[in-house]
Amino acid sequence: MPCVGRCEFYFTILGRRERFIAVAGKWREEMTIKHLKVVDTERCVGCQNCMFACVRAFGEVGLAKSRIFVRSAGGMERGFVVIVCRACENPPCAAVCPTNALTPRKGGGVRLNLSKCIGCGNCQRACIIGCVFWDEASNKPMICIQCGYCANFCPHGVLSVERIEVPDDCESDENSVESVASSEGSEFVESGAGKAETETEAKEEVSVHA
């Protein structure tokens, strides 16, 4: 009997079917990852709400710390371009990292271990869409973690968050984040793992700031 089926059987026997439904729903949610999607740049008005939201979620100050960037496409009449990590399945930024500070994440995106980063800039040069931003103060990369917090503040639906099922041999986001963040002295940021729907959840998710 499948795991969920066994749980449903036992919960039903105990007269706790409602509790099972809640637990199963939470379990299914944890076994997914988020991908931030740029739905339609034609709707973008350049308000930069997404950038302000990103900085706020990370507890930073100033738009230079944003992991998403909105710029003019060449004058107001031509609209705007939204630059953000697209959670590549085979990220070129990770492929050129000499210290494995960036590693591919199953389901798309990368994991960034800042303690291993030497600031060589290879990842920034390798990104074909220019979404690896750079923190000049720390000489480290800044990459979107796909938490989706910015999408909550887009007034015109330019951004959305899509949930993707985690592969069978991949740990849930929560377990993966905890296991790496609790390792000795590692500074960890994950792209493609975010679950934040609110500012509080976003700050909890990014326990170590890029």
Side-chain angles (χ1 to χ4, degrees), residues 81-133:
V81 177
V82 180
I83 304 171
V84 68
C85 177
R86 303 303 174 89
C88 303
E89 290 187 8
N90 298 297
C93 57
V96 299
C97 180
T99 62
N100 289 325
L102 276 174
T103 54
R105 184 181 186 283
K106 291 181 180 180
V110 292
R111 289 179 172 182
L112 169 60
N113 189 329
L114 290 176
S115 64
K116 291 184 177 181
C117 179
I118 58 175
C120 66
N122 285 355
C123 56
Q124 187 180 40
R125 290 187 290 271
C127 181
I128 60 176
I129 60 174
C131 64
V132 176
F133 304 108

Side-chain angles (χ1 to χ4, degrees), residues 1-209:
M1 184 184 297
C3 178
V4 174
R6 287 199 303 272
C7 291
E8 183 173 14
F9 172 76
Y10 293 128
F11 272 112
T12 301
I13 291 297
L14 295 173
R16 298 178 180 176
R17 183 178 177 82
E18 290 183 2
R19 172 61 178 162
F20 161 75
I21 293 173
V23 171
K26 178 64 175 175
W27 177 77
R28 288 192 178 96
E29 180 178 322
E30 289 179 352
M31 293 308 293
T32 62
I33 58 175
K34 286 182 178 179
H35 281 185
L36 182 65
K37 299 291 184 182
V38 179
V39 179
D40 185 0
T41 55
E42 288 297 318
R43 303 177 189 174
C44 182
V45 297
C47 66
Q48 298 185 324
N49 279 3
C50 55
M51 296 178 64
F52 283 108
C54 179
V55 171
R56 183 177 181 182
F58 276 86
E60 302 281 7
V61 177
L63 293 182
K65 299 286 188 178
S66 176
R67 276 76 173 168
I68 183 172
F69 185 66
V70 177
R71 66 170 176 81
S72 168
M76 290 292 291
E77 68 280 1
R78 297 186 62 183
F80 297 88
V81 177
V82 180
I83 304 171
V84 68
C85 177
R86 303 303 174 89
C88 303
E89 290 187 8
N90 298 297
C93 57
V96 299
C97 180
T99 62
N100 289 325
L102 276 174
T103 54
R105 184 181 186 283
K106 291 181 180 180
V110 292
R111 289 179 172 182
L112 169 60
N113 189 329
L114 290 176
S115 64
K116 291 184 177 181
C117 179
I118 58 175
C120 66
N122 285 355
C123 56
Q124 187 180 40
R125 290 187 290 271
C127 181
I128 60 176
I129 60 174
C131 64
V132 176
F133 304 108
W134 205 258
D135 184 349
E136 298 295 341
S138 65
N139 195 35
K140 306 284 185 182
M142 300 183 298
I143 305 175
C144 171
I145 64 168
Q146 310 288 317
C147 70
Y149 184 60
C150 59
N152 296 328
F153 294 88
C154 180
H156 301 294
V158 177
L159 304 171
S160 70
V161 180
E162 180 182 47
R163 283 196 174 274
I164 306 295
E165 276 194 32
V166 177
D168 293 338
D169 58 345
C170 180
E171 294 180 341
S172 69
D173 294 333
E174 184 176 2
N175 292 335
S176 296
V177 172
E178 289 178 351
S179 62
V180 180
S182 61
S183 61
E184 4 176 280
S186 70
E187 297 180 6
F188 171 75
V189 176
E190 181 167 330
S191 168
K195 294 186 295 180
E197 299 289 355
T198 65
E199 179 183 1
T200 301
E201 290 177 352
K203 289 180 178 177
E204 290 174 352
E205 188 176 302
V206 190
S207 55
V208 180
H209 304 322

